[in-house]
C-alpha cells in the first residue's frame, strides 16, 4: 500500500537508541541510560495517591476538550508563583503532552507551505511534525554567545510566518536572557510572526530563572508539559496558554483530533501540584549530576561544553575524537554500555561533531555512566 509523501520523515534517533539499549538489556547487558530526556523518578507519590482515590468512584469518562477546570485553575496559579503573572485560566488548554500541543499549535496558526523558523540546534520533533503537516521548517543559525537562541538580527535575514523557541533549550540547556527574550517577542509582534514558546524545561534551572514570553505579550502561544519538572513523561499530559481569541480555535481542533487529554493523567497532574517538596528534591539530583559532569568531562578531553542554565543535558563537542556522532554513540552503547544521543538528531548541519548526554537519572547511575565513559575514552574505543 502506498504511504504519503508527508509521512516520509526522519526517525527520532534518541527513541531508536533507547530501543536498542533496551534490546541489549534484554539480552543481559547492563546499560546506563544517558540518552533520553526523562527523569529517573516516577510521578510524585501524592499524585499517584490522588489517582488511586479517584478511581474508586470516578468512571473516568471523557473530560471537556479544554481539560478539567480545576487543573486549568491550578496551572494559572503556577504562572502567579513562577512569574508573578495573572493568567486567566480560561486561556489554558490541557493537552496529551507538549507533543500534542505542537500539533494543535501548528494546525491552529499555520497553513500549508507556511515557513516556521527554528533555532538550530533544537528538539528534532519540531521539524518532523512540521513536515507531516506540510509546513516548511527553516533552521535559524544560532551561536553559543547568543545561548544557541535566534536573535532579531538573524531573523531579519529570513521571511517566516512563525517562530518556535525553547528556553532552556534542548539539547543545550541554554537560556535566553530576559532582555533578549523581550526583544525577540517585540520583533515577532512587530513583524506579525506567530511566536510559539516551548517552556517545557521551566522549573529545572540552576543559576538564573527563565522568563516566560507571557511576561512580555499575550499574543503568543506557550507550550508546556508535566513530563520534565513534574516527572511524568509516560502520563502524556501537558498544557498550552493561548490568546483569548484562540481558545475556541484550538478547542475545535482538540475536540476533533484528540477529544481530550487522558482523564486519569489529568487527575495525576492535579496531584502533582501538592508535591512541591518531592519535586524540589529531584532538582537537587540534577544539580549534583550537572556539577559532577561539568567537573569530570573536561578531564576526559571534552573541553567545549556550554554550561547548561537549565534542563538536564550537556551538548558536547566530540570533533577531537570523531567526525561521525552516530558511530560514536553506537560504539559508546555497544562497547561502552552507555546510551547517549548523537548530535545529528538535533542539528542536521553540524551535529556530526556533537553528542548530547542526559543527566536526569539518579546520581549513582550517572557516576556509573561517568566511569564507563572514562574507560571507553581511555581505551580509545571510539576509533
Ligand atoms: C524541548 C522539548 N519539547 C517537547 C518535548 C516533548 O515532551 P512531552 O513529553 O511533553 O511530549 C521534549 C521531550 O524531550 C523536549 O525536549
Amino acid at each position: 500500500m502506498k504511504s504519503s509523501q508527508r509521512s516520509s520523515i526522519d526517525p527520532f534517533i534518541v527513541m531508536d537508541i533507547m530501543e536498542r539499549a533496551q534490546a541489549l538489556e534484554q539480552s543481559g547487558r547492563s546499560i546506563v541510560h544517558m540518552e533520553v530526556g526523562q527523569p529517573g523518578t516516577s510521578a510524585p507519590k501524592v499524585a499517584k495517591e490522588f489517582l488511586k482515590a479517584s478511581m474508586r468512584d470516578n468512571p473516568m469518562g471523557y473530560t471537556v476538550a479544554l481539560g478539567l477546570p480545576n487543573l486549568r485553575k491550578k496551572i494559572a496559579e503556577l504562572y502567579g508563583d513562577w512569574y508573578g503573572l495573572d493568567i486567566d485560566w480560561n486561556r489554558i488548554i490541557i493537552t496529551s503532552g507538549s507533543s500534542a500541543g505542537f500539533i494543535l499549535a501548528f494546525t491552529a496558526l499555520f497553513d500549508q507551505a507556511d515557513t516556521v523558523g527554528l533555532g538550530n540546534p533544537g528538539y528534532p520533533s519540531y521539524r518532523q511534525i512540521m513536515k507531516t503537516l506540510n509546513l516548511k521548517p527553516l533552521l535559524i543559525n544560532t551561536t553559543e554567545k547568543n545561548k544557541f537562541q535566534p536573535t532579531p538580527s538573524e531573523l531579519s535575514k529570513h521571511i517566516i510566518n512563525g517562530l518556535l523557541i525553547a528556553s532552556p533549550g534542548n539539547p543545550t540547556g541554554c537560556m535566553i536572557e530576559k532582555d533578549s527574550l523581550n526583544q525577540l517577542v517585540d520583533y515577532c509582534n512587530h513583524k506579525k510572526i506567530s511566536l510559539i514558546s516551548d517552556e517545557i524545561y521551566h522549573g529545572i534551572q540552576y543559576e538564573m530563572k527563565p522568563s516566560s514570553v507571557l511576561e512580555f505579550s499575550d499574543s503568543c502561544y506557550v507550550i508546556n508539559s508535566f513530563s520534565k519538572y513534574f516527572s511524568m513523561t509516560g502520563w502524556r499530559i501537558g498544557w498550552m496558554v493561548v490568546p483569548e481569541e484562540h481558545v475556541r480555535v484550538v478547542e475545535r481542533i482538540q475536540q476533533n483530533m484528540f477529544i481530550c487529554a487522558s482523564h486519569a493523567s489529568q487527575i495525576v497532574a492535579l496531584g502533582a501540584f501538592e508535591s512541591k517538596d518531592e519535586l524540589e528534591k529531584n532538582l537537587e539530583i540534577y544539580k549534583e549530576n550537572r556539577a559532577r559532569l561539568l567537573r569530570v568531562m573536561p578531564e576526559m578531553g571534552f573541553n567545549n561544553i556550554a554550561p547548561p542554565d537549565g534542563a538536564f543535558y550537556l551538548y558536547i563537542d566530540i570533533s577531537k575524537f570523531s567526525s561521525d556522532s552516530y558511530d560514536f554513540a553506537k560504539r559508546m552503547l555497544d562497547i561502552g554500555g552507555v546510551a547517549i544521543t548523537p548530535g545529528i538528531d538535533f542539528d542536521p548541519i553540524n551535529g556530526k561533531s556533537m553528542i548530547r548526554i542526559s543527566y536526569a537519572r539518579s546520581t549513582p547511575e550517572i557516576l556509573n555512566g561517568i566511569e564507563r565513559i572514562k574507560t571507553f575514552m581511555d581505551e580509545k574505543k571510539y576509533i
Side-chain angles (χ1 to χ4, degrees):
M1 199 190 282
K2 176 181 168 289
S3 63
S4 65
Q5 275 181 15
R6 64 171 163 201
S7 64
S8 95
I9 55 172
D10 297 335
F12 191 1
I13 294 172
V14 68
M15 298 310 283
D16 281 356
I17 297 225
M18 189 171 89
E19 211 175 304
R20 190 177 170 89
Q22 284 176 358
L24 287 173
E25 281 172 323
Q26 271 155 22
S27 74
R29 287 276 311 276
S30 145
I31 302 296
V32 178
H33 289 273
M34 297 174 85
E35 79 285 36
V36 76
Q38 85 174 332
T41 45
S42 81
K45 285 187 201 70
V46 179
K48 289 189 285 189
E49 288 306 321
F50 253 61
L51 179 60
K52 240 195 234 169
S54 144
M55 291 228 325
R56 273 197 297 270
D57 42 28
N58 185 333
M60 298 288 167
Y62 296 131
T63 68
V64 293
L66 295 173
L68 293 173
N70 282 349
L71 178 57
R72 296 164 69 205
K73 286 176 189 167
K74 277 280 174 204
I75 293 170
E77 281 172 26
L78 189 72
Y79 282 85
D81 293 348
W82 278 4
Y83 317 101
L85 292 174
D86 183 12
I87 299 288
D88 179 356
W89 67 271
N90 289 296
R91 291 174 55 201
I92 293 167
I93 299 161
I94 308 299
T95 61
S96 303
S98 69
S99 301
F102 298 129
I103 296 173
L104 292 167
F106 300 163
T107 312
L109 292 171
F110 306 120
D111 284 310
Q112 177 164 338
D114 276 358
T115 302
V116 185
L118 296 169
N120 190 49
Y123 178 61
S125 301
Y126 299 146
R127 57 182 200 276
Q128 309 301 347
I129 297 172
M130 284 175 194
K131 285 187 205 158
T132 64
L133 294 174
N134 288 332
L135 303 175
K136 290 188 189 149
L138 179 86
L139 300 183
I140 310 275
N141 190 33
T142 67
T143 60
E144 188 178 337
K145 183 171 151 270
N146 292 319
K147 299 280 195 168
F148 298 101
Q149 303 285 347
T151 58
S153 88
E154 197 58 41
L155 290 179
S156 66
K157 297 176 189 165
H158 306 281
I159 296 173
I160 51 177
N161 305 94
L163 177 71
L164 200 173
I165 56 169
S167 167
N170 177 4
T172 64
C174 288
M175 215 187 271
I176 192 165
E177 308 268 348
K178 192 169 186 157
D179 288 349
S180 309
L181 183 62
N182 195 352
Q183 283 166 21
L184 202 56
V185 173
D186 287 350
Y187 178 86
C188 288
N189 280 343
H190 178 66
K191 295 279 183 185
K192 302 212 173 341
I193 294 169
S194 301
L195 178 63
I196 304 169
S197 176
D198 178 357
E199 301 185 351
I200 187 169
Y201 290 104
H202 285 211
I204 305 176
Q205 57 257 354
Y206 305 102
E207 271 139 36
M208 64 176 186
K209 258 186 73 185
S211 301
S212 169
V213 290
L214 295 169
E215 291 172 48
F216 311 111
S217 172
D218 286 324
S219 292
C220 41
Y221 274 40
V222 164
I223 294 186
N224 210 319
S225 172
F226 287 89
S227 287
K228 309 295 175 170
Y229 172 73
F230 293 95
S231 190
M232 287 174 50
T233 47
W235 296 90
R236 312 306 306 127
I237 185 92
W239 74 88
M240 308 164 75
V241 188
V242 304
E244 195 185 334
E245 69 278 12
H246 279 242
V247 172
R248 182 68 181 148
V249 178
V250 177
E251 184 181 29
R252 285 195 307 256
I253 305 169
Q254 169 102 304
Q255 287 169 339
N256 284 287
M257 278 196 180
F258 303 106
I259 299 189
C260 64
S262 150
H263 193 155
S265 299
Q266 293 190 55
I267 300 216
V268 183
L270 253 177
F273 283 99
E274 310 304 319
S275 314
K276 192 155 186 235
D277 290 350
E278 191 175 331
L279 296 171
E280 292 297 314
K281 272 197 203 120
N282 294 348
L283 289 188
E284 292 306 312
I285 299 171
Y286 309 144
K287 226 180 248 174
E288 173 71 19
N289 295 348
R290 172 183 181 272
R292 287 188 186 248
L293 281 162
L294 285 177
R295 207 165 43 237
V296 301
M297 294 309 281
E299 290 167 12
M300 295 183 217
F302 299 108
N303 304 111
N304 195 3
I305 306 174
D309 304 305
F312 30 54
Y313 307 113
L314 290 187
Y315 198 47
I316 302 173
D317 185 343
I318 55 158
S319 54
K320 265 177 23 193
F321 308 110
S322 169
S323 55
D324 181 349
S325 57
Y326 192 83
D327 179 65
F328 187 92
K330 201 165 157 288
R331 284 166 184 268
M332 181 77 87
L333 176 59
D334 292 346
I335 307 169
V338 183
I340 58 168
T341 311
I344 45 164
D345 218 10
F346 312 99
D347 179 346
I349 301 163
N350 303 310
K352 279 192 161 183
S353 59
M354 306 296 291
I355 54 163
R356 185 197 75 176
I357 64 175
S358 163
Y359 52 87
R361 308 289 281 234
S362 72
T363 303
E365 281 173 276
I366 298 301
L367 292 180
N368 189 8
I370 289 173
E371 281 313 308
R372 290 183 186 195
I373 296 173
K374 238 187 214 161
T375 308
F376 178 84
M377 296 306 292
D378 286 349
E379 293 175 359
K380 296 194 172 25
K381 295 290 191 198
Y382 47 85
I383 301 169

